[in-house]
Amino acid sequence: MTDRKETGFYITTPIYYVNDVPHIGHAYTTIACDVLSRWHRMKQEATYFLTGTDEHGQKVQQAAAGRGITPQELCDEVVVNFRRLWEVLGIRNDDFIRTTEERHTKVVRQIFRTLAEKDDIYKGTYEGWYCVPCETYFPDAQIDEERLCPDCRRELVRMSEESYFFRLSRYQDALIEHYEKNPGAIMPKARYNEVMSFIRGGLQDLSISRTTLKWGIPVPGDEKHVVYVWLDALANYLSALGYPESGGIWEKYWPYAHHMVGKDIIRFHAVIWPAVLMALGVKPPVRIFAHGWWTVEGDKMSKSKGNVVDPFEMADLYGKDAFRYFVMREVPFGSDGDFSELGLVGRINSDLANDLGNLLNRTLQMIEKYRGGALPDASVLSCANDVDRALASLAQRTVTDMDRQIDEFALDSALKTLWAFIGAGNKYIDETQPWKLGREGEGTRLDVVLRSLWEVLRLAAILVYPYIPETAGRIWRQLGLGDEMKGTERAGWTWSTSADGIVVEKGDVLFPRIDLAKWKEEKASRDEAKRAGTKGEDKKAVKTGPTFEQIEIADFRKLEIRVAAIEKVEIVEKADKLFKIYLDLGYEKRMIVSSIREFFTPEELIGKKILVLCNLKPAKFRGIESNGMLLAAEADDGKQEILSLATVDDDFPVGSLVS
Ligand code: MSP
């Protein structure tokens, strides 16, 4: 199909810093990797998709100190946001690595040892511009004439400290040779050129340890140093695969390593990381791809401007698939792009509701009207004429073109290709005018048209599945192919299937059209509410669907939620968020640790009848075991986080089960 030789696919996102809330940039990379890995899984290649969090470093240490908790506690708290976002966006990663996990730290130490044994590390002195209050060095490139800290704008001082260095300069020629032989190893081409000229400009050895920082992985044999965060972070791509154990899955997947990154971190990935790998005797990754950055309504995205696009909010308002589709379709993958909510609404109405949704609706309506829902058997396609055959050959071209485009990570182009096919399906209806055939009793001709349209939709559902998996499943079901998307493997990406005896089942509209006038009003009131710091009133106006997977009632029944009375509340010393909450469940007493201290005083809580998840595995907070979790709703009213406990009437019996 393409000249790609690999039979496996290992794809990674950057691991995200835990000092930030997830935004559209994080979501973008992760969605792109999800699309790619779903595609390769459909092709039945050995596929592995890794994401995770980068948890060491100065920023985390300082943020934790500011809140009176340990850095580890801060990481444990923040990592939840990322995990939850991936669930909300339907991300199907195989693993989630955290750099504070033992499986990772031990590999970093091992890598450090190996590099030292090979004389790729030496001890020297690191000198640079340092901000004392921020306890951070800043590279010369970030420093202007005033010599002020780029973060806090206080004066920087010239500092030096003992440091270990990696002999990066030693790998300059090997890197050039590697990239000359493998021009596809850095994409897009502009990034390849940028990296090559950087390497050709001369590489200097790299400081890879710090003594000024405590929150990191100690250097083996010299524990006053911790390993430089970037070396620590990059190593996740190997540690998650169980490197260097022989027989570990790293041997299976590493030959197919692809790193997806944002353009700002290309050098770490395309210079430092391959050099470290060469030093370790491990092959450099097959490809490092740098995507562009999102601006928002033409402006740089920043917290201070208050224009950060919240992917939770977008998924909540428009549904995860619409958001996934929009970010993948809107911008040529690799270039910068601009996010606008109006643009998203436009894509929902035109591409999803009009093109895709209408094709499904019109087709199923006709199969129901003219054939009582029974799909004509595949054998009828032997009576196809030139118009039908042209559609069939476009189907095959669509498959080939999309496969090539996805191999090149041209994720937006692949969608354009697919939409041209969907457009051809709609045009085919206009041309063949099945309603006339229905009237004139041209039985076979109508059968061919209906079956052809159904084949377009079956193929479209498969090809669109990596981008909008939930919607693809809904199409599949309506086409009468069952609740699970079975039979989507490469072998089935053909025009005609032998599936016979199928009965279609028209269901809910895939993407209800959004009324623009109503939407504008709603958006204005939402913006106004954000400015005024109050909650938006009518979010429902544009709600297009659930953001979580549907579950069985049996899944819900696994939860043991009971009514409990709060008897006593104690604060946890040195943890400004935590309370110890003593509960009476009637049949037993128990204690849970909960981080709701910023919302309530102990007096406000005592006597309340709350809902508690009782069969949650015990977990330790600050060394105190918590046995369960209280239920509460959390929100941001624009000014601050707010929280409301799930309670029942005062006289309701404790211990009662919630169902
Ligand atoms: N922790 C490092 C990565 C270590 S990988 C071994 C890091 N983390 S990050 O959380 O700051 O950034 C993660 C990714 O988000 C980067 O790839 C970055 O390019 C991307 N983005 C941050 N803002 C972005 C936009 N506005 N638009 C698109 N992507 C953006 O860097």
Side-chain angles (χ1 to χ4, degrees):
M1 198 169 284
T2 67
D3 53 6
R4 187 172 172 274
K5 298 285 182 306
E6 288 100 44
T7 53
F9 191 71
Y10 173 40
I11 184 78
T12 66
T13 71
I15 48 172
Y16 304 113
Y17 287 132
V18 285
N19 58 356
D20 206 357
V21 289
H23 55 61
I24 185 176
H26 305 118
Y28 186 46
T29 326
T30 311
I31 291 170
C33 293
D34 192 55
V35 171
L36 287 164
S37 59
R38 284 177 189 264
W39 185 268
H40 287 279
R41 263 188 227 122
M42 285 205 301
K43 290 177 74 182
Q44 294 176 298
E45 293 178 16
T47 303
Y48 203 80
F49 169 19
L50 174 70
T51 187
T53 40
D54 191 353
E55 302 192 351
H56 289 126
Q58 198 68 42
K59 294 247 161 74
V60 173
Q61 186 175 302
Q62 277 169 346
R67 293 203 16 217
I69 55 175
T70 65
Q72 187 65 59
E73 281 168 338
L74 181 76
C75 296
D76 293 348
E77 194 182 296
V78 181
V79 73
V80 175
N81 293 333
F82 284 94
R83 288 192 195 275
R84 200 158 56 88
L85 180 61
W86 306 150
E87 230 170 81
V88 165
L89 294 179
I91 303 298
R92 237 180 79 190
N93 49 307
D94 293 290
D95 197 356
F96 187 104
I97 181 108
R98 302 178 55 186
T99 53
T100 51
E101 287 173 281
E102 227 254 322
R103 63 171 172 151
H104 173 75
T105 56
K106 77 172 193 224
V107 173
V108 172
R109 288 162 68 87
Q110 173 68 48
I111 287 176
F112 207 97
R113 256 185 251 117
T114 311
L115 296 178
E117 276 159 21
K118 295 194 167 174
D119 186 37
D120 272 310
I121 287 180
Y122 62 91
K123 207 186 236 183
T125 306
Y126 179 74
E127 204 188 312
W129 292 104
Y130 187 76
C131 175
V132 180
C134 297
E135 297 178 40
T136 309
Y137 281 99
F138 290 94
D140 287 352
Q142 269 189 38
I143 294 162
D144 55 19
E145 279 165 11
E146 291 177 301
R147 295 220 182 99
L148 298 180
C149 170
D151 280 354
C152 73
R153 306 304 293 162
R154 275 178 279 206
E155 213 163 303
L156 297 168
V157 289
R158 196 72 186 165
M159 279 255 298
S160 64
E161 63 174 299
E162 181 187 274
S163 170
Y164 288 93
F165 283 80
F166 169 60
R167 294 190 196 277
L168 183 60
S169 57
R170 204 182 242 180
Y171 293 93
Q172 175 167 338
D173 293 342
L175 283 170
I176 292 174
E177 196 188 324
H178 167 66
Y179 287 130
E180 276 174 350
K181 273 200 202 135
N182 300 284
I186 303 172
M187 282 177 74
K189 191 72 191 158
R191 300 290 160 215
Y192 174 87
N193 293 339
E194 173 194 317
V195 170
M196 281 303 256
S197 71
F198 176 75
I199 303 174
R200 288 198 176 110
L203 296 181
Q204 290 182 357
D205 291 348
L206 177 77
S207 161
I208 52 162
S209 77
R210 293 284 183 277
T211 52
T212 45
L213 170 71
K214 294 281 159 286
W215 181 235
I217 302 172
V219 166
D222 196 353
E223 312 243 323
K224 67 175 182 299
H225 290 256
V226 297
V227 176
Y228 172 48
V229 276
W230 266 99
L231 178 60
D232 169 351
L234 288 162
N236 90 87
Y237 302 132
L238 276 178
S239 68
L241 296 184
Y243 171 86
E245 296 304 320
S246 76
I249 57 169
W250 78 278
E251 289 175 345
K252 176 172 172 190
Y253 293 111
W254 188 258
Y256 311 118
H258 293 69
H259 299 315
M260 178 73 75
V261 298
K263 64 179 183 181
D264 54 319
I265 55 174
I266 184 82
R267 279 190 202 165
F268 294 100
H269 285 81
V271 181
I272 299 175
W273 180 229
V276 168
L277 290 167
M278 285 174 180
L280 293 171
V282 175
K283 252 182 71 178
V286 175
R287 181 185 293 168
I288 302 148
F289 189 100
H291 64 67
W293 269 45
W294 287 93
T295 49
V296 182
E297 322 259 355
D299 223 353
K300 201 171 163 224
M301 188 167 79
S302 82
K303 266 192 212 157
S304 53
K305 288 192 184 128
N307 65 350
V308 176
V309 179
D310 174 4
F312 284 110
E313 187 189 7
M314 290 304 115
D316 182 33
L317 286 171
Y318 302 104
K320 65 173 162 237
D321 276 2
F323 179 65
R324 287 172 66 111
Y325 175 80
F326 175 76
V327 293
M328 288 293 99
R329 173 64 184 79
E330 189 66 2
V331 180
F333 200 62
S335 307
D336 291 340
D338 189 51
F339 181 89
S340 91
E341 229 178 289
L342 183 60
L344 168 52
V345 171
R347 289 264 174 224
I348 293 176
N349 282 348
S350 67
D351 302 11
L352 298 174
N354 215 30
D355 300 341
L356 179 62
N358 269 351
L359 181 64
L360 180 71
N361 250 351
R362 293 166 89 188
T363 303
L364 296 191
Q365 245 163 26
M366 290 188 296
I367 299 177
E368 287 189 343
K369 183 166 174 196
Y370 302 123
R371 294 290 178 265
L375 177 74
D377 283 354
S379 55
V380 77
L381 291 177
S382 62
C383 305
N385 67 17
D386 283 353
V387 179
D388 315 323
R389 273 193 292 271
L391 190 62
S393 66
L394 179 63
Q396 286 317 311
R397 267 206 316 284
T398 302
V399 168
T400 318
D401 289 352
M402 279 187 79
D403 199 35
R404 194 192 61 252
Q405 287 161 327
I406 291 185
D407 268 354
E408 290 162 3
F409 288 16
L411 299 175
D412 56 302
S413 312
L415 278 180
K416 274 189 216 157
T417 302
L418 179 54
W419 252 254
F421 178 51
I422 290 167
N426 275 315
K427 199 161 149 241
Y428 176 81
I429 301 185
D430 301 338
E431 273 172 16
T432 54
Q433 302 188 321
W435 51 92
K436 281 197 181 157
L437 303 173
R439 228 185 293 136
E440 290 157 12
E442 289 203 41
T444 308
R445 190 69 209 118
L446 180 61
D447 280 348
V448 174
V449 170
L450 295 179
R451 180 75 195 203
S452 298
L453 284 168
W454 185 88
E455 295 288 349
V456 172
L457 281 159
R458 187 191 60 87
L459 206 50
I462 295 174
L463 300 175
V464 86
Y465 157 82
Y467 292 89
I468 47 174
E470 193 184 62
T471 306
R474 290 169 65 201
I475 300 175
W476 203 252
R477 215 169 300 132
Q478 297 198 27
L479 291 176
L481 286 164
D483 286 342
E484 270 176 69
M485 280 193 77
K486 282 195 187 136
T488 58
E489 300 80 25
R490 176 68 194 86
W493 300 3
T494 53
W495 175 241
S496 159
T497 46
S498 49
D500 282 342
I502 285 182
V503 179
V504 301
E505 251 175 81
K506 199 162 158 301
D508 289 343
V509 166
L510 293 181
F511 293 92
R513 270 190 78 78
I514 297 172
D515 179 309
L516 264 191
K518 219 164 136 197
W519 176 84
K520 278 185 185 148
E521 259 174 47
E522 178 279 331
K523 168 93 165 73
S525 93
R526 203 152 29 91
D527 288 347
E528 184 53 41
K530 271 186 193 159
R531 270 194 299 275
T534 54
K535 260 181 103 59
E537 274 179 9
D538 188 19
K539 275 187 173 183
K540 283 189 198 77
V542 292
K543 236 182 185 148
T544 55
T547 52
F548 286 91
E549 300 289 344
Q550 290 192 329
I551 60 167
E552 302 293 335
I553 185 72
D555 294 323
F556 179 76
R557 289 202 184 112
K558 286 185 194 151
L559 306 177
E560 185 194 352
I561 301 172
R562 290 182 187 275
V563 175
I566 300 181
E567 289 198 322
K568 190 168 79 166
V569 177
E570 285 174 358
I571 58 171
V572 176
E573 291 302 331
K574 291 197 194 128
D576 58 1
K577 280 198 143 189
L578 300 182
F579 271 144
K580 284 201 263 182
I581 301 180
Y582 294 83
L583 300 172
D584 179 13
L585 278 157
Y587 59 95
E588 70 168 53
K589 309 254 180 189
R590 63 163 83 188
M591 194 271 288
I592 62 174
V593 179
S594 181
S595 58
I596 58 169
R597 194 158 133 200
E598 60 187 293
F599 303 104
F600 302 100
T601 61
E603 295 69 39
E604 284 172 323
L605 292 172
I606 293 167
K608 273 201 186 327
K609 295 263 177 79
I610 60 166
L611 299 185
V612 175
L613 178 62
C614 292
N615 60 337
L616 187 69
K617 281 190 187 141
K620 282 198 172 164
F621 297 91
R622 292 225 143 221
I624 307 164
E625 187 172 286
S626 174
N627 285 286
M629 182 179 85
L630 57 76
L631 303 190
E634 251 187 292
D636 189 330
D637 71 358
K639 278 198 214 127
Q640 57 186 7
E641 291 274 300
I642 50 173
L643 186 133
S644 172
L645 294 177
T647 56
V648 294
D649 296 341
D650 286 351
D651 53 357
F652 210 83
V654 290
S656 311
L657 258 181
V658 175
S659 57

